Structure formats: structure tokens, C-alpha cells
Amino acid sequence: GAGPAGKIGGAAGDAVPRAGVPPSAAVSRSIIAAPSEARALPPPNCGGIVGPAMTGAASLGRILVVEGSPRHAELLDSCLIPMGYQVLHTRDPQDAWRSVEEDHPDLIILDWALPKGGGYRMCQSIKAHDAAGVLPVIMVTLRGDEAGKVKALEAGTDDFISMPFDRAELLARVGSLMRIGQKAGEVE
């Protein structure tokens, strides 16, 4: 649920099953088929920002969310999908690798506390295999401490968001990294 002062997210214990997400860890390919479908969702309070999905414009890009908590994945969706981003999901790092190779996301939002090696190791691997250096990663975690942020940055993450997060801040960080990635891709 909503947290203090426009923040969303909460304790891991409040995780709830997400409608439409298969129980397996496989990548959910229930991406928005068309912006009109996204308009059918109730618009979240995203700081008064109106996105392309709310106006019928094209997608802003493809985001892979690698998140262990169905509740946190739902919170990210509630902000990203109505703004016009196509969102892919997985809870498993191996499935995330397949999605990176097959779906070519423009950005990854990565849970710090993933099973099978965690977000830290996955971020290191992504950055080691991203020869062009154009695949941005945002690390999301319940950890709000400075040491956790430093460790995430040392792993190669491009940005860091702590739960609970401010929706407008998340959108600004995602938008900024998407623009940087697009410019870097144009230079290739």
C-alpha cells in the first residue's frame, strides 16, 4: 500500500499474489499489447504526470523487472505501465538472462535480494556481458542504508531506489536512464 508522503512499497511480509502472474518463475510476457489497454487500468498517482499510455501515444520502451516480491512488482507496474512502458517480469535470474537475450529490454529494474545469487551478482554479470555498455540497471531494495547503496553502485548499477520509493522520483530516474541508453545506442 501507500507509505509515507507519496512513497509506495513496504515490508516484504505484505506481499500478495499478483493477478495474471504465473506461479512459475518464468518471464511473464503479458506486456501491454496496445496503449489503449493500459488506459483501462486505474491511473496511479504518479506525481500528476500523464504518460503516453494515458494519451494513446506509442510505448516509451521495454523494461525488464526482476523482482522477487509479487507485491513490489505490482507497485512498479502501477507506475510504469500507465506511463507507457512495456513491462516484462521474472523472479528468477536465469529467466532474466533469457529475457535479456530474447526480448532486448531497454532497462532492467533489479531486486537486490534475489534468490540464486542475488541482484548484486546479477548486476555484475549484466555489466560484464554488456559490451556496448548501453543496458542501464536500477537496483531496488528494502535496504535504505548507505552501505547497501555503495555496494549496489560497486556492482555496476546505474541508479538505486530504496523501498518505499516516490513514484515521481522512480519515473524521473527511469526516464533519465532510458534517454541516456537511447543516445548511447544511437552512437554505436
Side-chain angles (χ1 to χ4, degrees), residues 22-105:
S24 72
V27 175
S28 171
R29 286 187 168 54
S30 56
I31 306 172
I32 329 171
S36 61
E37 290 179 28
R39 283 196 308 268
L41 296 171
N45 177 8
C46 288
I49 303 166
V50 176
M54 296 170 157
T55 62
S59 168
L60 292 176
R62 183 174 296 147
I63 298 174
L64 173 61
V65 174
V66 187
E67 173 59 63
S69 163
R71 175 70 178 142
H72 292 166
E74 182 178 289
L75 292 171
L76 290 164
D77 276 358
S78 75
C79 202
L80 297 169
I81 291 173
M83 298 313 295
Y85 294 103
Q86 293 180 341
V87 179
L88 297 159
H89 291 276
T90 186
R91 295 180 202 164
D92 183 89
Q94 294 302 317
D95 290 326
W97 275 114
R98 280 190 286 277
S99 182
V100 168
E101 293 171 0
E102 295 170 10
D103 301 314
H104 308 285

